[in-house]
């Protein structure tokens, strides 16, 4: 039996790893549009950008692992179409050349997401959309003392780049149309703490303010971080059910019984949360990759893992568990010292109808288990 994996990121590599570690001995083929070995993306805006880790250290495995484990890694090859009825896919070299047809028995889509573009920045500058190793290389070269860095968007990528840029001595201005950074995720109570943190480190944080062409043109470097769009084109072409992501059930299976989808593109009916959710985070890529591997090999396991993400900014380290959801929350309980710019540590709990829906800690690493275990408890 042949399992084909479309996508060359962490989710794809994790699924291939789990298949081999659990004893699957059929053919495994990974089709990756990038020429690089599969790698983790979070270090590109964290350790690699700060210089504490090399790009090679972000690789999931070295090249020998794929050969030793008989995983066929097709790099620089893009899958352009899928025929679910025939159980075939068509792939072609990204650099140019003829396409070829390949058969599969089971298929895993892990095509990830692409940065959302900002036309105004594209028009007047050559912005960086941090997603790839090449994007990271541009940033590493540009982040120097005194460099004028303009960041569009105060989301996770924007704030992490701002942190690295300031630690390298660059002047940083962030434009964000919302009233606070991360407010859609954290709510105003905790989002304000991130605004305070960056201002304490010298960031010119311009909230509720759209950027104009003059400001973009004056910057030495423009970084755009305004979200990402799931790469669902291939799924749509194959006739799979798609709605702001590839729709998958509790087992990560798509509307085709022999095709699964994971990672940034997967809009899962979550058995614990009781609703659909699509999560663009490192932990989801790993955990969904494992469950999908089991099910591709014949199991029928539900993916019950709760959303988790983390960030590192200056001396702040944070972990967040759970999901508030579209219904929002009634209150957020904050315990501890919120002066994180000066080493404070705290915990926060988002409560709806007397139940903790999401929780996080900042700089309180001994609290990770307790914070995670609070999800779903009464408060």
């Amino acid at each position: 039996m042949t399992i084909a994996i479309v996508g060359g990121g962490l989710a794809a590599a994790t699924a291939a790893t789990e298949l081999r570690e659990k004893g699957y001995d059929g053919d495994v083929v990974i089709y990756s549009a990038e020429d690089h070995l599969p790698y983790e993306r979070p270090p590109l805006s964290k350790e690699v950008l700060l210089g504490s880790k090399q790009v090679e250290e972000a690789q999931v495995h070295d090249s020998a692992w794929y050969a030793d484990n008989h995983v066929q890694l097709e790099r620089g090859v893009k899958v352009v179409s899928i025929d679910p009825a025939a159980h075939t896919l068509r792939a072609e070299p990204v650099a140019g050349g003829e396409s070829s047809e390949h058969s599969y028995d089971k298929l895993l889509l892990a095509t990830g997401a692409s940065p959302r573009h900002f036309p105004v920045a594209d028009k007047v500058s050559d912005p960086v959309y941090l997603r790839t190793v090449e994007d990271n290389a541009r940033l590493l070269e540009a982040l120097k003392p005194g460099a004028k860095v303009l960041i569009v968007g105060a989301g996770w990528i924007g704030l992490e780049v701002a942190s690295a840029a300031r630690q390298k001595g660059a002047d940083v201005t962030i434009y964000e149309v919302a009233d606070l950074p991360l407010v859609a995720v954290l709510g105003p109570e905790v989002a304000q703490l991130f605004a305070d943190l960056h201002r304490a480190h010298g960031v010119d944080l311009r909230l509720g303010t759209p950027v104009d062409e003059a400001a973009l043109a004056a910057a030495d470097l423009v970084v755009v971080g305004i979200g990402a769009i799931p790469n669902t084109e291939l799924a749509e072409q194959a006739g799979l059910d798609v709605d702001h992501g590839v729709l998958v059930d509790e087992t990560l299976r798509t509307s085709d019984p022999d095709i699964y989808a994971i990672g940034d593109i997967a809009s899962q009916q979550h058995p614990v949360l009781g609703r659909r959710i699509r999560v663009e985070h490192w932990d989801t890529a790993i955990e969904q990759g494992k469950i999908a591997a089991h099910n591709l090999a014949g199991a029928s396991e539900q993916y019950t893992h709760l959303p988790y993400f983390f960030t590192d900014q200056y001396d702040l380290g944070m972990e967040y568990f759970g999901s508030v959801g579209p219904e929002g929350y009634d209150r957020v309980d904050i315990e501890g010292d919120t002066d994180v710019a000066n080493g404070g540590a705290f915990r926060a709990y988002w409560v709806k109808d007397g139940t903790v829906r999401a929780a996080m800690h900042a700089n309180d690493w001994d609290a990770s288990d307790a914070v995670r275990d609070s999800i779903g408890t009464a408060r």
Side-chain angles (χ1 to χ4, degrees):
M1 186 172 83
T2 297
I3 294 177
I5 302 174
V6 183
L10 175 60
T14 299
T17 302
E18 190 75 0
L19 283 166
R20 290 306 190 221
E21 289 185 351
K22 294 301 181 181
Y24 175 75
D25 59 3
D27 293 336
V28 177
V29 185
I30 298 176
Y31 297 90
S32 173
E34 290 194 59
D35 282 327
H36 307 287
L37 293 169
Y39 59 91
E40 301 182 23
R41 298 191 190 277
L44 300 185
S45 61
K46 298 179 176 71
E47 301 97 328
V48 176
L49 202 54
L50 286 167
S52 60
K53 177 181 284 190
Q54 298 300 308
V55 168
E56 292 75 18
E57 295 178 77
Q59 293 173 351
V60 182
H61 299 295
D62 60 21
S63 58
W65 183 91
Y66 298 94
D68 293 344
N69 288 275
H70 306 289
V71 173
Q72 183 178 341
L73 178 57
E74 298 289 342
R75 292 193 275 173
V77 175
K78 181 179 181 180
V79 174
V80 295
S81 65
I82 298 169
D83 185 341
H87 280 68
T88 60
L89 60 83
R90 184 161 289 278
E92 63 184 29
V94 173
E98 294 185 2
S99 65
S100 55
E101 188 174 271
H102 308 267
S103 62
Y104 68 84
D105 295 287
K106 300 285 186 179
L107 179 67
L108 177 62
L109 294 176
T111 49
S114 296
R116 189 182 302 277
H117 273 250
F118 184 47
V120 176
D122 292 342
K123 176 183 175 182
V124 301
S125 64
D126 182 19
V128 173
Y129 295 88
L130 182 53
R131 186 71 183 177
T132 67
V133 167
E134 289 77 12
D135 300 330
N136 176 266
R138 278 192 62 194
L139 282 178
L140 282 171
E141 183 178 357
L143 296 185
K144 299 175 181 178
K148 296 179 180 178
V149 178
L150 186 153
I151 299 173
V152 182
W156 300 113
I157 292 294
L159 295 183
E160 288 174 359
V161 171
S163 170
R166 287 297 299 138
Q167 290 178 78
K168 292 194 168 207
D171 297 327
V172 178
T173 302
I174 300 178
Y175 285 83
E176 169 58 57
V177 294
D179 292 334
L180 286 168
L182 305 170
V183 69
V185 178
L186 301 177
E189 301 89 347
V190 178
Q192 182 63 56
L193 304 179
F194 280 85
D196 296 343
L197 172 69
H198 281 269
R199 284 176 170 147
H201 283 87
V203 172
D204 183 358
L205 185 57
R206 304 188 182 188
L207 299 171
T209 307
V211 66
D212 56 33
E213 292 187 11
L216 290 164
D220 296 323
L221 174 71
V222 174
V223 181
V224 176
I226 55 173
I229 301 172
N231 297 326
T232 60
E233 298 87 354
L234 195 58
E236 293 171 24
Q237 173 276 320
L240 304 179
D241 292 345
V242 174
D243 184 9
H244 303 290
V246 181
L247 302 187
V248 298
D249 65 11
E250 293 86 351
T251 67
L252 304 174
R253 185 172 57 186
T254 70
S255 53
D256 183 288
D258 291 329
I259 302 178
Y260 291 74
I262 59 174
D264 295 350
I265 63 168
S267 175
Q268 187 212 7
Q269 183 61 38
H270 199 286
V272 176
L273 298 175
R275 58 181 171 84
R276 286 203 171 275
I277 187 170
R278 187 177 67 83
V279 182
E280 298 174 358
H281 290 297
W282 168 87
D283 184 64
T284 301
I286 293 174
E287 298 302 328
Q288 286 189 347
K290 293 176 181 178
I291 296 299
H294 302 167
N295 295 340
L296 286 162
S300 186
E301 298 179 17
Q302 292 191 347
Y303 180 76
T304 60
H305 195 71
L306 289 172
Y308 163 85
F309 62 85
F310 70 98
T311 190
D312 296 312
Q313 299 172 32
Y314 310 106
D315 291 329
L316 167 71
M318 180 273 271
E319 292 182 300
Y320 179 104
F321 304 87
S323 173
V324 169
E327 69 274 13
Y329 58 92
D330 298 325
R331 71 179 195 274
V332 56
D333 297 341
I334 300 176
E335 302 172 351
D337 180 3
T338 58
D339 187 9
V340 290
N342 291 301
F346 70 91
R347 306 177 190 185
Y349 303 88
W350 286 262
V351 181
K352 176 71 174 179
D353 298 330
T355 300
V356 177
R357 299 295 177 87
M360 66 166 279
H361 79 80
N363 295 338
D364 190 0
W365 297 102
D366 291 337
S368 292
D369 290 344
V371 169
R372 181 187 59 245
D373 293 344
S374 73
I375 306 302
T377 63
R379 189 175 179 88

